[in-house]
Amino acid sequence: MRAVKTTLLLMAGILVQGCALFGPERAPIPLVESVDLQRFMGDWHVIGFIPIFAEADAHNGIETYALNADGSIATTYRYRGGGFNAPLTVNTPKGFVESGTNNALWAMQFIWPFKAEYRIVYLKPDYSVSIVARNKRDYVWLLAREPQMDDASFEQYRKKIAAMGYDPAEFVRQPQQWPEFEKRSPLKP
């Protein structure tokens, strides 16, 4: 009997510890009502982000989207890692629009067969600014058609991102300085 009590107490302790580690499940971040994919395609400058490890020191990041004939989205993310004069790093994940989401939820595939959540949670009506988030609240990107954003607007979007449940201290501005030291094609490195 004592072994059973010990086992139950140990299991209860593990359960409580697990809840403390992972916390309560958060409500999903609402998607925008709909996205016109044709208007969304093209170049987006990364103005601010909570970066993944590989892009933590990214400069002059541009995410480019192009609609493929099969409905998937060819994605090219080009940035200079480590400084404005560094060579370009190019990533080419593929996006897949999730049906029933009015084009606002994508699955982004960097390595087959794994796909990452890509939620379009804010889109300015003129398609000049967008916020892409994840329900885990681990990564977020503030994208704009222009490479520069004034401080007041940036702060407004930082507050919007914090209201979604992100830590605003982790959200940083990605350095953008144009023109670059060498030209690059909009679609090629």
Side-chain angles (χ1 to χ4, degrees):
M1 187 63 140
R2 187 169 205 193
V4 172
K5 280 186 175 180
T6 303
T7 302
L8 287 174
L9 283 173
L10 182 60
M11 289 175 63
I14 290 170
L15 181 62
V16 168
Q17 187 67 20
C19 290
L21 287 174
F22 299 106
E25 188 173 321
R26 296 181 180 183
I29 302 171
L31 299 166
V32 295
E33 191 173 305
S34 69
V35 176
D36 179 337
L37 285 180
Q38 292 296 337
R39 286 185 72 192
F40 199 83
M41 299 297 103
D43 290 343
W44 290 89
H45 295 270
V46 180
I47 302 300
F49 60 159
I50 295 177
I52 61 174
F53 177 78
E55 65 173 346
D57 199 20
H59 291 62
N60 283 6
I62 299 176
E63 184 105 334
T64 303
Y65 306 110
L67 195 56
N68 291 323
D70 67 359
S72 64
I73 299 165
T75 305
T76 306
Y77 178 43
R78 296 160 292 133
Y79 64 90
R80 298 191 183 278
F84 293 113
N85 296 329
L88 277 174
T89 298
V90 180
N91 297 321
T92 56
K94 191 176 202 179
F96 299 90
V97 175
E98 298 287 328
S99 64
T101 66
N102 290 325
N103 304 322
L105 178 61
W106 304 0
M108 197 63 77
Q109 188 171 60
F110 291 86
I111 300 170
W112 184 87
F114 306 105
K115 294 179 181 173
E117 178 188 45
Y118 187 96
R119 302 177 72 80
I120 302 171
V121 297
Y122 174 79
L123 186 57
K124 202 166 178 182
D126 65 358
Y127 283 63
S128 63
V129 177
S130 180
I131 296 173
V132 175
R134 289 174 32 97
N135 279 332
K136 290 182 180 181
R137 273 77 167 186
D138 49 359
Y139 306 116
V140 65
W141 297 268
L142 172 60
L143 308 173
R145 297 293 188 175
E146 297 296 323
Q148 303 300 326
M149 179 179 285
D150 64 77
D151 291 340
S153 296
F154 184 81
E155 201 52 43
Q156 171 193 0
Y157 291 115
R158 178 193 298 272
K159 287 177 183 173
K160 186 180 288 291
I161 288 166
M164 294 176 194
Y166 283 94
D167 180 350
E170 292 181 11
F171 180 74
V172 296
R173 196 183 272 267
Q174 186 177 108
Q176 294 279 348
Q177 184 180 62
W178 298 88
E180 288 190 297
F181 75 102
E182 66 180 9
K183 288 190 175 190
R184 60 171 147 170
S185 158
L187 298 177
K188 296 180 184 174

